Structure formats: structure tokens, C-alpha cells
């Protein structure tokens, strides 16, 4: 069966809800502004496609000056390679026979594939898959305080880089980190020390890749980084406003929702549940902001219902059947819930794009 | 492009991760046990398809004796109507021209479509859409303490039932509630009083539909209910174990994941992030249980990473590249993240089903 995706020219007031929509002008402005900032910081920019998962949006980012793109999974990279992207960094430890085989096919297809490793175990799989005829570029992931993946010290990074360098099928291309919020100085220190130790071992470190949206406009505080990776800026969201990276008027994604119930004086129910907003709180105590009704709090979600507490809302909340616009806490995870994304300019639908890498889980 | 879904006969140890898998025997046993309990309670059973979104699984539920199915959206109901289901209750206020038009088409297609309302506003839309030639069955949703949708009092339920009864295109079919946990007595009181008030107005109340998984095995404590609706029991999850509704060995869904990093002594990272497990905590302080490593805590998720704290884990945690099995907090939301679902018996893939109603958001 075919779901009723809207035609170009439809007014967003006439769209079915719940549905995220993307403001074309804000999207374009976000791309321009972020690209300019990273360039002014003397770095190359590598947008993370996880926020949109749409080749056409990545094309806008590359056309604006981005050097390449950042994916997290081999299957995501395949989608973007099929769409013509040639410079793809996969920031994930690729393990297992089937994923390594697909990675090799991908490497034969595009010009500049790169991956990360943070262990000898991951390196061993890569080394057994690639050969000297067409070596794969590999970066060492470093934990500079983010406490996710990554080697723990510059010394460990150097040792792993030497192991990469010793493999005929692999090319040591540099280092990479996904830092803690507020960790710019730690990143800088880690990079400087690692570059020094690598140099002592006769190894260059051409790529020093820093990343992250929570600290996006602190990228210039890491002068030793050559590249920055980030995704959320392209649409922006409530967390980016809180971080001071944008204003409410820079948020390109809204979730259109309908008031479906007004069961009690201080309670309204919207049709955007966790299947539209997700349960990501990102430190907030509620699940999104309703534009124009900021004191109305989305206090709980079930899959298809958002319960709104109107206790502190002094303005009349819309009646049953009315459409409202919800700013999500976290835009990336919303993209992952919808098969297509609707774009508009001044409320008129401009295009409907497949969220092509949604479902690319491996 | 085609993602590498596995063939029947594949061993689950050879599947790419992250991936949820369903144990056929546990699934079948869960269906049998729940159906028997509801029948013993003297009620009809109406499984909620949101947990699986797969017609073949709903067919197993109906074959076991379920009277019909419960959907939440018109588009979900369309998927199941296309698959041959004739008795579908949509427990949602349907609003707006396009959804009402689709609802009418659906009503003309299947034998027993029913919807709920909790306001005159929603009723008005239905009344304008349906006519006396083929009236639509409508239930009044009642808030018995769950504080989501629903009229607040038996008197309000009766008034709304009278409004339904006054419409030539609508048929008052009964009342429905999604109760609070532990609210069996409140549900019973609400039903008894509403039935009494309806009778005083000359209205029968043939369907008294109670629901919910958190209190599933308390369904018999509401003797006045004629029907129970629930979804989670079909796969079960960590929340159902906590509620005492099943044992660990009754959980049919596991998420297969791979250890992708062991960056520090007390930290491991799995490849099942919020895109596989979701951020649903459901009152837990961590994001799932790792089978065999219950003291290892999944303390944070990003979209593709699960960070595991091993501080309290006294047994050796698996090495990089090893597969682990994660019990999700909430199974329904996991189904919504994958295009297909892999079923197995004793670790051998038996079938791969489209999650046909995933993406049916309207």
C-alpha cells in the first residue's frame, strides 16, 4: 500500500500529522553559517549524515564546501556511495566477515574511504581484508574524555598507529576523537602530544579530526585539529538552542502535530508520541517545545500520544483538531523514524525526499 | 540498494548486528498463554498489533482465538485490512478530512471497523463522514486514572454516548479505557457506573474494553470488562519481567549486538545504540539487560553505541568481536526501528517478515 505523502505545492497546514517538516531557507542558512565558521577556523568540514540520512541534503553540504561526509555504518556509506559521494569517513569499528567484505567492495567503488579503529582486534580484521594494491586509510580513534570508544593515551594511539603502518593493506591517515562537552583543551592537548609521539616514531599525522555538535562553535578552540565533524547543525533542535549554537528561528525541523484530546482542564493530548519525537530527553525534563505555547509542557509520551501539561500555560491552548508545531529535543533521532522527509518554503511543500539511509542499520 | 537480510536456515550467530530476533517457540507459547488467561477471565482478547506490526504474527494471535486486532492509526489498520483482517479497533481520535476519508474507505472494505472518541469535536467529524447506510461503530474512551485521553466521568461518557446514538451514521458500541497501573478497581467502578447510567438512558453497552500490558495478568480483576487489549505479551521484555508477567525465559525478542570496543578496564561498547534499543527507560536506570552479564550496565546510548559499565561485573565480559544478546526494556518501540524482523528456532532462522506497519504513522 502507498502512504499519502504530499505533492509539491501542498500547504503544510494540509499535511497529515504527525510529520516533521524542514524549512528550506533555514536549512540553507544553517549549512552556509556552519561551513563559514569551520572554514574561518582553518579546518575542513565533514558533516555527519546521521542527522538527515538524505543524499540530496548531503549534496547541499558538499556544494557549500564540505570536504566529504561522515557515516557511522557500512550500509549508510553504501547508500551515499550509490548517490555519488566519493569521500566518506565511517567513524565506527568495523568487525566481522560480512561487514568487512562489504567494506572492501565499497573501497573499490569510491575514491576516498576511511575508517577508524581503537583496538588491535579491529585492526586485525581490516588488515586481513585489505591489501597493498589498494590500501585502506585508517584513523586511530582517541578517547579525549568523551568516554565512549577510543584509545586512552597518546602513547596507545601511537602504538596502534605503528601497527596500522606495519600493515601493507592499511594506511595510517591520522587520529580522530568524539570529545566530551567542554573538552576542547583536552582534545588539543591529546592531539599535540600524539602528533609529537608519532613524529618521534617517524609517522606523519595528516588528519586530526575533531567532532561533535554539543560544542560545535568551540571547534576553533582546538587549533591542532584539521577537520571537524558534526551533524545536528543542519536542522538544529532544542538542544542546540540550549547550547547557544542557534536561535529558535534557526531551527529548520518542526514536527507538525494535531491536538487530539482535551480531556481535562490542564491536559491536552497531541498525536506525536515517541514514534515521532522519540524518548530522547538530552537532559531536558520534557519531550519538546510547542511553538507559541512554551509554558505547555510535554510531560509524557506513549508511542502515539504526547500528554501536555497546561498548568503553567497562561494562553489559550488550541482546540481539538488544531495543528501545532513541536520543536524536538533531538533532531537526528526523528529523521530515523520517517521513511520520507517533507521540505517546505514559507509553508508550501517544495520536495519530498526519501530518508534513504533510514533502516541502514549495519 | 538491498540490505543483507538473512536467508532461512542461517544461524543467528552469523547474522549482522545490531538486529532483533524473535524466538518462534517463545512467541507461540506467549500467544497461547495470554489467550488462555483472557479466556479463563471470561473475556474476549484483542491483541494490539503495535508490538509487532506484522500481519503474520497477528494471524497467529487470531488463530489462537483472538477476536480481532487493535491498531492505533488508520494507516496501520489499512495494512492489516490489506492482509485480510476484518475486525479492527482503532483506539485513537480520528480527526481531519484526509484521515476521515481514508477511514470511510476502510470501513467499506472490512466487516467490523470500530473507533473511539472522547469529545464532541471528534464525534462531529465522524458524524459528517459516515451515514445510515453503513454506520460506523464508535466506543467512548474513558479516563479511569491513566491520565491520557478519555472522558473524565461516567456522566460525561453517557452524554457522549447519547450524542453518538443520535447520529444516523454512527453506532454506539460501548466504552473503552487504557487504565493506570494498579487501577483495576477504578476501571471496574467506572464501567459499572457508566453501564448503569447508560441503561437509565435506554442505551446498551455491549463492549466494555479494558487494556494495557503493565497490568496484563490483572485483567480478571475487572469482571465487568468484556474485552482486554494488550500487545507487549507477544514478545515480552524486561518491563514485563519486572511486572511479574513473565520470566526471563519467556522473552521472545533479543537484540543481537557485537562488542565493538573495550576502551577501558570497566567499559565496553556495543553496536546497539538508540537506533536499536531506543531511549525508552520505562523506569529503569539503564537501557537493557545483557544476557549472562546482568551486572554489566548499559549506562548510556548514542545512536550507534551502547556504553556498558563493567564496574560491578564479576565475570569476564566478552572480547571485541563477540556477539551478546540484549533484552530490551520495551519491545514495541524496537519493532518500530527495523524494516524486517528475523524469527528463529533454536538459533536457526525460520523466516524474515516485513514489519509491514512500520512507517504507518498516520
Amino acid at each position: 500500500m502507498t502512504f499519502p505523502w504530499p505533492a509539491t505545492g501542498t500547504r503544510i497546514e494540509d499535511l497529515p500529522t504527525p510529520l516533521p517538516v524542514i524549512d528550506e531557507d533555514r536549512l540553507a542558512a544553517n549549512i552556509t553559517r556552519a561551513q563559514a565558521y569551520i572554514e574561518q577556523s582553518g579546518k575542513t568540514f565533514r558533516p555527519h549524515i546521521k542527522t538527515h540520512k538524505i543524499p540530496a541534503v548531503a549534496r547541499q553540504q558538499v556544494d557549500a564546501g564540505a570536504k566529504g561526509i561522515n557515516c557511522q555504518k557500512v550500509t549508510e556509506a553504501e547508500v551515499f556511495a550509490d548517490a555519488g559521494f566519493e569521500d566518506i569517513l565511517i567513524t565506527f569499528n568495523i568487525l566481522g566477515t560480512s561487514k568487512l567484505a562489504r567494506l572492501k567492495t565499497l573501497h573499490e567503488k569510491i575514491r576516498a574511504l576511511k575508517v577508524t579503529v581503537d583496538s588491535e582486534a579491529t585492526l586485525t580484521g581490516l588488515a586481513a581484508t585489505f591489501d597493498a594494491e589498494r590500501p585502506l586509510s585508517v584513523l586511530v580513534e582517541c578517547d579525549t574524555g568523551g568516554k565512549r570508544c577510543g584509545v586512552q593515551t597518546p602513547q596507545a594511539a601511537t602504538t596502534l598507529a605503528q601497527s596500522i603502518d606495519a600493515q601493507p593493506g592499511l594506511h595510517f591517515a591520522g587520529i580522530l576523537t568524539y570529545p566530551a562537552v567542554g573538552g576542547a583543551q583536552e582534545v588539543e592537548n591529546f592531539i599535540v602530544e600524539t602528533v609529537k609521539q608519532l613524529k618521534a616514531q617517524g609517522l606523519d599525522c595528516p588528519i586530526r579530526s575533531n567532532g561533535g555538535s554539543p560544542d560545535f562553535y568551540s571547534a576553533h578552540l582546538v587549533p591542532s585539529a584539521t577537520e571537524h565533524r558534526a551533524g545536528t547543525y543542519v536542522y538544529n533542535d532544542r538542544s542546540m538552542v540550549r547550547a547557544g549554537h542557534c536561535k529558535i528561528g534557526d531551527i529548520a525541523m518542526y514536527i507538525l502535530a494535531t491536538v487530539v484530546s482535551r480531556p481535562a482542564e490542564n491536559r491536552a493530548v497531541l498525536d506525536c508520541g515517541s514514534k515521532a519525537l522519540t524518548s530522547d530527553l538530552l537532559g531536558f525534563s520534557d519531550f519538546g517545545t510547542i511553538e507559541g505555547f512554551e509554558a505547555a509542557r510535554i510531560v509524557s509520551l506513549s508511542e502515539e500520544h504526547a500528554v501536555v501539561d497546561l498548568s503553567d500555560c497562561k494562553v489559550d491552548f488550541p482546540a481539538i483538531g488544531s495543528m501545532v508545531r513541536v520543536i524536538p529535543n533531538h533532531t537526528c533521532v526523528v529523521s530515523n523514524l520517517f521513511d520520507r522527509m517533507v521540505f517546505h518554503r514559507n509553508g508550501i511543500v517544495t520536495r519530498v525526499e526519501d530518508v534513504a539511509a533510514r533502516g541502514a542499520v549495519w
Side-chain angles (χ1 to χ4, degrees), chain A:
Chain A
M1 63 158 288
T2 314
F3 296 123
W5 293 97
T8 299
T10 306
R11 301 183 319 156
I12 62 172
E13 292 89 338
D14 296 330
L15 297 179
T17 62
L19 188 68
V21 293
I22 306 296
D23 183 305
E24 293 273 19
D25 295 331
R26 292 181 180 187
L27 167 68
N30 291 342
I31 290 172
T32 301
R33 175 169 168 245
Q35 182 68 36
Y37 164 69
I38 297 295
E39 286 181 11
Q40 283 157 19
S41 307
K43 305 180 195 313
T44 56
F45 191 27
R46 183 178 293 278
H48 203 310
I49 59 80
K50 68 173 187 157
T51 308
H52 52 73
K53 308 182 199 298
I54 298 171
V57 176
R59 181 59 58 203
Q60 292 179 258
Q61 293 171 309
V62 169
D63 286 348
K67 177 170 168 48
I69 59 170
N70 181 187
C71 295
Q72 204 80 326
K73 296 285 179 167
V74 176
T75 47
E76 284 179 346
E78 288 172 344
V79 169
F80 283 82
D82 282 351
F85 292 85
E86 292 280 345
D87 183 343
I88 302 178
L89 168 63
I90 305 176
T91 47
F92 208 82
N93 291 307
I94 311 299
L95 288 154
T97 317
S98 69
K99 286 179 186 168
L100 287 166
R102 294 177 78 99
L103 187 69
K104 186 158 195 205
T105 302
L106 185 63
H107 183 48
E108 285 157 6
K109 177 172 182 169
I110 65 173
R111 179 175 49 80
L113 179 66
K114 292 174 274 290
V115 302
T116 59
V117 299
D118 71 350
S119 70
E120 293 281 349
T122 302
L123 189 156
T124 299
L126 293 172
T129 306
F130 294 87
D131 54 44
E133 198 176 317
R134 188 165 167 75
L136 178 70
S137 289
V138 180
L139 285 76
V140 172
E141 181 163 2
C142 304
D143 181 359
T144 58
K147 296 193 181 305
R148 201 167 67 179
C149 293
V151 298
Q152 299 295 298
T153 63
Q155 186 172 5
T158 303
T159 302
L160 196 54
Q162 290 177 289
S163 296
I164 295 167
D165 188 57
Q167 292 295 336
L170 305 180
H171 166 66
F172 172 66
I175 59 176
L176 172 142
T177 191
Y178 183 76
V181 177
Q185 191 58 53
E186 286 75 10
V187 176
E188 178 65 14
N189 294 347
F190 201 111
I191 293 176
V192 168
E193 180 60 25
T194 305
V195 169
K196 186 175 137 195
Q197 293 195 21
L198 286 166
K199 193 173 182 185
Q201 300 299 328
L203 285 172
D204 277 340
C205 185
I207 301 174
R208 285 96 69 186
S209 181
N210 189 22
S213 294
D215 258 355
F216 186 73
Y217 283 98
S218 298
H220 67 284
L221 300 179
V222 185
S224 295
T226 61
E227 145 176 313
H228 197 83
R229 316 174 318 279
T232 311
Y233 79 92
V234 73
Y235 291 160
N236 281 320
D237 56 22
R238 196 181 183 203
S239 76
M240 292 291 275
V241 174
R242 181 183 55 187
H245 295 325
C246 68
K247 299 185 296 294
I248 286 281
D250 300 321
I251 297 177
M253 174 188 276
Y254 283 82
I255 288 91
L256 303 176
T258 298
V259 181
V260 293
S261 183
R262 291 292 305 272
E265 192 187 344
N266 283 329
R267 193 195 325 153
V269 181
L270 310 179
D271 62 357
C272 55
S274 67
K275 271 177 57 183
L277 296 176
T278 84
S279 304
D280 271 21
L281 281 167
L282 294 188
F284 291 103
S285 60
D286 49 4
F287 294 93
T289 300
I290 305 170
E291 193 191 39
F293 305 93
E294 287 73 12
R297 297 182 62 246
I298 301 176
V299 288
S300 72
L301 298 180
S302 40
E303 281 140 273
E304 307 287 4
H305 300 82
V307 175
V308 184
D309 180 354
L310 303 177
S311 304
D312 297 329
C313 187
K314 303 300 176 204
V315 292
D316 280 347
F317 197 76
I320 292 172
S322 304
M323 185 183 278
V324 295
R325 294 153 58 113
V326 180
I327 301 168
N329 289 346
H330 188 191
T331 183
C332 310
V333 289
V334 174
S335 288
N336 190 47
L337 295 173
F338 291 85
D339 290 347
R340 296 184 179 187
M341 193 61 65
V342 174
F343 294 72
H344 71 98
R345 177 170 287 114
N346 299 324
I348 305 295
V349 173
T350 50
R351 53 181 168 143
V352 179
E353 299 278 3
D354 281 343
V355 184
R358 192 211 58 74
V361 292
W362 299 315

